Amino acid sequence: MSLHRPLGTLSDGEDPVRLAPEDAGWSWTGLRVLLLHPGTSRVIETGEFEAFVLPLSGGCVVEVDGLRFELSGRDSVFTRVTDFAYVPRDATVTLSTRDGVEVALPMARCSRRLEPKYGPAEDVPVEVRGAGNATRQVTNFGVPGVWDHADKLNACELITPDGNWSSYPPHKHDEATECEVVNEEIYYFRIAGRDGVNTSRDGFGLHRTYTADGEIDEDVAVRDGDVFLIPRGYHGPCVAAPGYPMYYLNVLAGPADDRSMAFCDDPTHGWVRDTWAATPPDPRCPVTSAKGRVR
C-alpha cells in the first residue's frame, strides 16, 4: 500500500479527499475534504468519529445538535488563521455556504461524545518554530493544552516559507516510551503558486518518511492536494521548493487514553535542534494571523 496518495486518488465524486482509517490500513485517524458550491449545503453523519470543521478557502455555517456556528473562514490557507468548529461523534452535521467553501474535516475514531464547540481564530496560538532555513509557522488550533475539547483528535497547521525545511529534525511517534506516544498521522499538503497565496499544482515540495529497519524508506515529491500517511517511523523533512510556499494539515490520533503529540527525534539528527538558539529565525515567519497576512 502506497503511503503517498496524490490528488485524485482519494476523491469521492467532487470531494477531493475521503480517507477513512480502513483506507489507510490503521484504526484511528481519518480525513475528509469537501467542496461545496455557492448556495449549497451538505449533511454529514459523523458516526463513530469526532471531527474539526476547518475552512481551507471560503466560509460556511455549521449546524449540529441545535447549535449554529458561522465560520468566516479565509480566502486561502496562506492568507489568515481561520475559525473552526468541533463536532462530536454520533451527530448529524449540516454544512451550508453562501459563496462556496472547501473545508477539511480531520477526524478520529473515539468513544466519548462531547458537546459541539466553536473555535475563534483570535484564540488560536501561532508559533514560530525552528531557526534559519528550518523556520516555519505552526498554527496550534487543535493540539493538547490549547484545545482540550476532544477525546482522541489532534490537529495543527504548518506553513513553510519557500526554500525552508520543516518537520525537522525527523521524528517518530509509534511506540509508548518515555518520550513518545503512539499516533497515526496524516499530512495533507497545499502548495502555493508563484503569488505565494493561491494554491496551484505548478509548485511542489519534498517529503521523507523512513524506519530504522529500512522497511519504509520513501522520498517523494508532493503537490497541492496530496496526502501522505505516517503509520510508523521517522518523518521529515518536508521541504518547500524555492518559489512555492508549503502548507500542511497534520491530523493525529491513537489508542492512548490521554491526548498527546509527544515524539522522539531521530538520534542521528536531533543535535540540529540544539543549534537553533544561536541562529536567528527566518523573518518571513509568522506568515499569517487571525487578522490576515503578517508578511
Side-chain angles (χ1 to χ4, degrees):
M1 179 183 297
S2 174
L3 301 180
H4 180 210
R5 307 293 180 90
L7 177 67
T9 58
L10 296 171
S11 179
D12 177 20
E14 287 191 328
D15 294 335
V17 177
R18 185 183 184 113
L19 177 71
E22 291 73 20
D23 300 318
W26 56 35
S27 302
W28 302 97
T29 311
L31 174 68
R32 293 186 67 179
V33 178
L34 309 180
L35 181 63
L36 276 68
H37 295 290
T40 63
S41 62
R42 185 84 64 89
V43 175
I44 306 296
E45 302 287 345
T46 60
E48 58 185 332
F49 295 91
E50 60 183 348
F52 292 122
V53 180
L54 183 76
L56 301 171
S57 61
C60 63
V61 172
V62 181
E63 296 175 89
V64 56
D65 287 4
L67 300 175
R68 186 177 189 272
F69 306 127
E70 293 190 19
L71 306 185
S72 57
R74 52 191 167 185
D75 293 335
S76 156
V77 294
F78 296 100
T79 58
R80 72 181 289 262
V81 174
T82 187
D83 52 353
F84 64 98
Y86 169 88
V87 294
R89 62 166 290 160
D90 300 318
T92 299
V93 182
T94 301
L95 306 178
S96 58
T97 180
R98 185 188 67 181
D99 300 318
V101 68
E102 188 174 28
V103 60
L105 273 65
M107 307 181 300
R109 181 173 276 129
C110 67
S111 57
R112 290 194 299 145
R113 190 182 196 278
L114 307 179
E115 296 297 316
K117 190 173 180 180
Y118 172 70
E122 294 74 16
D123 291 348
V124 175
V126 173
E127 173 189 359
V128 175
R129 187 176 298 172
N133 63 356
T135 308
R136 59 274 199 182
Q137 170 179 321
V138 185
T139 306
N140 289 309
F141 76 94
V143 305
V146 172
W147 183 270
D148 292 326
H149 190 77
D151 185 20
K152 296 289 187 182
L153 180 59
N154 307 282
C156 63
E157 300 177 296
L158 279 286
I159 296 179
T160 308
D162 66 288
N164 280 12
W165 296 44
S166 58
S167 286
Y168 197 78
H171 57 280
K172 75 180 185 75
H173 37 74
D174 55 19
E175 297 178 283
T177 68
E178 291 183 358
C179 70
E180 65 183 301
V181 298
V182 177
N183 272 323
E184 307 157 350
E185 184 170 11
I186 297 168
Y187 277 65
Y188 172 64
F189 292 93
R190 306 307 303 260
I191 308 295
R194 64 176 62 189
D195 65 2
V197 171
N198 295 295
T199 56
S200 170
R201 291 282 290 177
D202 292 341
F204 67 98
L206 303 175
H207 173 87
R208 174 159 172 72
T209 291
Y210 60 97
T211 54
D213 61 12
E215 184 174 332
I216 298 174
D217 190 0
E218 295 205 25
D219 300 277
V220 300
V222 291
R223 295 184 181 272
D224 184 60
D226 287 6
V227 170
F228 199 95
L229 308 177
I230 314 289
R232 69 185 185 94
Y234 294 106
H235 36 288
C238 293
V239 186
Y244 300 104
M246 170 189 283
Y247 162 101
Y248 49 89
L249 171 64
N250 286 147
V251 189
L252 303 92
D257 292 333
D258 296 322
R259 292 167 63 233
S260 172
M261 294 172 63
F263 60 86
C264 291
D265 284 339
D266 183 335
T268 302
H269 306 296
W271 65 269
V272 174
R273 193 181 297 276
D274 297 331
T275 69
W276 292 345
T279 306
D282 187 324
R284 293 178 293 174
C285 289
V287 179
T288 63
S289 72
K291 294 181 179 180
R293 295 274 297 188
V294 177
R295 294 174 177 85

